[in-house]
Amino acid sequence: MAFHCCQHVACVPAHNRVLCTVPRTCLSHRMAGVRVHQRTGVVMKSSDATTAELTAEFTGTTFLQLFASAAPAALAPQANGLAVMAMIFAFGGASGAHLNPAVSLMLLLRGKMGSGKAIAYMAAQVAGCVLGALLCTVLIPGVRVGQGMGAPGTCSPAAGLSSMEVFAWEALLTAALGLVVYGCAVVNNAFKAAAPIGIAAFVMCAIMAAGSYSGCVINPARAIGPAIVFGTSLSSVAVYVAGQMAGGALAAALAGLIHNE
């Protein structure tokens, strides 16, 4: 006997599945339709950011800023990678765990989230990094507000590296990060469960490769937050932020080509 309430394969006996042509109307599918707009990996389809989502982005970037910038320089790759992985596992279910304005920009340009939500996410991410930097002044002896360059988490390129070279490093590394995020957490269902591990592995690899050159910040919120708290040069921070946001835009363009979207 054919069950015409539903097209779900499991609802219809095998020998009668071909007869089931009525649109999905059963309660389970109506409920699924309500839920599907909410969250798919890091993709947030609903139009407005909720308090829970913004709190998750704010809290995740606060801890990311604190843990990653407080670690000794020799452990920077591990500290940053593991902190990113832990925060994605912790907050991915609540907000998608973008934790990075360049990632939110990439998803905005790919049509995965609205402009209002993207801007709200970016503001929460920057605010979280400001708090993370402030916590460093409370928890780390000798660190103070207005300390300037050399304070935990501040952008410090290698001697002799030009502004254009800093821009290029940050743009390329951020674009690569965006492609990893997109490939692991947005378009490929097979890898979504392991996405935090893949993203963390890239962050560790990128810092090992470029940390001694540009510092491998690859996150505008993590460039802006410490600059506000420690009073570093806005012109130098602007180069980082411009490169990182350009990298997010480049990742959006490449993702569309690579994944035929």
Side-chain angles (χ1 to χ4, degrees):
M1 184 173 77
F3 293 83
H4 294 284
C5 71
C6 180
Q7 285 183 327
H8 196 292
V9 172
C11 294
V12 185
H15 63 284
N16 277 334
R17 282 174 191 158
V18 69
L19 302 176
C20 187
T21 60
V22 177
R24 298 179 182 180
T25 58
C26 73
L27 179 61
S28 64
H29 280 127
R30 287 202 301 272
M31 293 300 291
V34 170
R35 289 193 298 268
V36 74
H37 77 282
Q38 294 177 347
R39 189 171 297 112
T40 307
V42 300
V43 180
M44 310 303 298
K45 293 296 185 71
S46 56
S47 59
D48 298 319
T50 66
T51 300
E53 290 165 353
L54 296 181
T55 301
E57 289 295 308
F58 173 79
T59 306
T61 49
T62 296
F63 284 127
L64 176 60
Q65 180 67 41
L66 174 62
F67 297 151
S69 61
L75 296 177
Q78 299 94 316
N80 280 267
L82 292 173
V84 167
M85 180 173 66
M87 294 305 105
I88 296 173
F89 275 127
F91 301 108
S95 69
H98 298 186
L99 307 175
N100 186 330
V103 171
S104 296
L105 175 64
M106 174 188 70
L107 295 172
L108 169 63
L109 294 177
R110 293 303 320 147
K112 306 300 183 181
M113 67 188 307
S115 58
K117 172 168 276 191
I119 292 169
Y121 266 45
M122 292 176 193
Q125 293 153 3
V126 171
C129 287
V130 169
L131 178 57
L134 283 171
L135 287 173
C136 288
T137 68
V138 176
L139 299 173
I140 303 175
V143 176
R144 67 185 189 280
V145 173
Q147 182 174 337
M149 194 65 72
T154 53
C155 304
S156 52
L161 201 68
S162 70
S163 295
M164 202 62 210
E165 289 167 335
V166 170
F167 178 95
W169 270 114
E170 292 294 314
L172 291 173
L173 292 168
T174 307
L177 171 64
L179 290 173
V180 172
V181 170
Y182 206 85
C184 288
V186 179
V187 297
N188 198 321
N189 288 322
F191 295 144
K192 281 181 181 176
I197 299 172
I199 296 166
F202 172 80
V203 170
M204 293 173 66
C205 176
I207 295 174
M208 289 175 184
S212 59
Y213 301 111
S214 72
C216 192
V217 182
I218 57 176
N219 185 332
R222 293 199 57 204
I224 296 170
I228 292 173
V229 173
F230 299 118
T232 56
S233 168
L234 292 180
S235 60
S236 64
V237 171
V239 173
Y240 279 86
V241 174
Q244 293 151 2
M245 296 303 272
L250 177 59
L254 291 174
L257 293 173
I258 293 167
H259 300 289
N260 296 316
E261 292 185 344

